[in-house]
Amino acid sequence: MKQQWELGALLAAIYFAVLGWAFVIRRLRSRCEILDYEPRRSVPWGGAWVLWAAAVYIGLAAAAGQLASSAYLSDLSDAERVAALSDNGATLRSSSGFFLKMIQAHSAANLFTVFFVTLALVRFRNAGPDDLGISMRNFPRRLKQGFLTFFVVAPPTLLLQAAIVEGLGIKYNHPLVDAVKGDGNGSIVFWCSFAAVVVAPLVEEFLFRVVLQGWLERLSAQVARQAEFADDEVVELAPVPSPVAVVGSPAKASFMPIFVSSLIFAAVHLEQWPAPIPLFFFALALGYLYRQTHSIWPCVVVHFMLNALSMIMLLLEQKQA
């Protein structure tokens, strides 16, 4: 029964992958965009707000780490506390109880970051659902786009990662993977799964696609407008509603915002080397998906499904070990 279920899941994955790639190839052969471009206005925030959002994320993460450390140490006896802080905290960092409190605190801090930054952008920059990529318009279609994109993007991403890890013999480093492999108790597995499958897709897609790439697209549109005005002999200046520009057709949309946001996305995962290499190409696909739809939902679906698949594969590997 188990083998039949696994075979059925594999065949279904192959079917959707073939379906997705057939769609991509057909669109490319027709010289069309893979996904239809949906014009919209530029986001109402600038680079200062991007830096502020990054500062909020880093600050709350640091505060969460301090609170988790204090909470864990307060539960220990004096002798245990001294032992935990010995070796410059190496004993503390190797404790599964400490890691559990850390992952819980960081998950809460990351989710609060999304809430707080969203609230600030709505309050002070008059950002609406479309600006934030959270509009529920065409929501079923967004889910379908994310579902099919996953089967297009996941195979090359996982194959590239496997080639790097297995082919080149480079060890894959990730604290969640190490925690599940090292301990594997129910609480660790649950909170690692929650952090990887729920928190990470939502927080990272919001920060990198909505906030960062959204601003880069605005910057790119402003540069394009200035270049267009510079080429005109006579420019009739007309009032431009805030925010400054409307992101135009896909032919005029620059690839720069996708590339830069993907590069930064990969860079912040350097501690998980060699993950940044496949993650860069994965982020390129997510960046394109966001540029074409200007919706966070299909990006979250793709990210959610990839992380869920990775976690399932890890747990199956542990079960068989």
Side-chain angles (χ1 to χ4, degrees), residues 107-138:
S107 295
N110 290 344
L111 290 175
F112 184 74
T113 297
V114 173
F115 171 78
F116 185 61
V117 173
T118 298
L119 190 65
L121 292 176
V122 171
R123 174 65 179 83
F124 298 106
R125 301 306 304 164
N126 296 318
D130 287 327
D131 300 316
L132 296 165
I134 58 175
S135 172
M136 301 302 290
R137 187 171 58 252
N138 298 321

Side-chain angles (χ1 to χ4, degrees), residues 205-253:
E205 293 312 307
F206 176 76
L207 292 176
F208 288 98
R209 248 57 68 183
V210 175
V211 177
L212 175 59
Q213 186 175 315
W215 166 65
L216 290 172
E217 288 179 2
R218 169 181 172 161
L219 184 63
S220 178
Q222 289 175 325
V223 172
R225 281 175 60 87
Q226 291 174 356
E228 182 180 347
F229 287 164
D231 291 338
D232 293 338
E233 294 182 3
V234 179
V235 178
E236 182 179 351
L237 296 178
V240 179
S242 181
V244 176
V246 174
V247 180
S249 66
K252 295 181 180 180

Side-chain angles (χ1 to χ4, degrees), residues 140-266:
R141 182 178 171 219
R142 301 305 185 202
L143 296 183
K144 180 181 178 182
Q145 288 172 329
F147 179 79
L148 292 178
T149 300
F150 166 77
F151 288 100
V152 173
V153 174
T157 300
L158 294 175
L159 286 174
L160 178 58
Q161 178 174 305
I164 295 171
V165 175
E166 302 296 335
L168 300 180
I170 302 176
K171 182 183 177 182
Y172 177 61
N173 297 311
H174 196 296
L176 296 185
V177 173
D178 294 339
V180 172
K181 286 184 175 181
D183 193 297
N185 68 58
S187 295
I188 291 289
V189 170
F190 172 81
W191 282 103
C192 285
S193 300
F194 179 74
V197 178
V198 178
V199 177
L202 181 61
V203 174
E204 292 180 355
E205 293 312 307
F206 176 76
L207 292 176
F208 288 98
R209 248 57 68 183
V210 175
V211 177
L212 175 59
Q213 186 175 315
W215 166 65
L216 290 172
E217 288 179 2
R218 169 181 172 161
L219 184 63
S220 178
Q222 289 175 325
V223 172
R225 281 175 60 87
Q226 291 174 356
E228 182 180 347
F229 287 164
D231 291 338
D232 293 338
E233 294 182 3
V234 179
V235 178
E236 182 179 351
L237 296 178
V240 179
S242 181
V244 176
V246 174
V247 180
S249 66
K252 295 181 180 180
S254 171
F255 187 73
M256 180 275 293
I258 298 174
F259 179 83
V260 173
S261 61
S262 300
L263 194 63
I264 296 175
F265 177 80

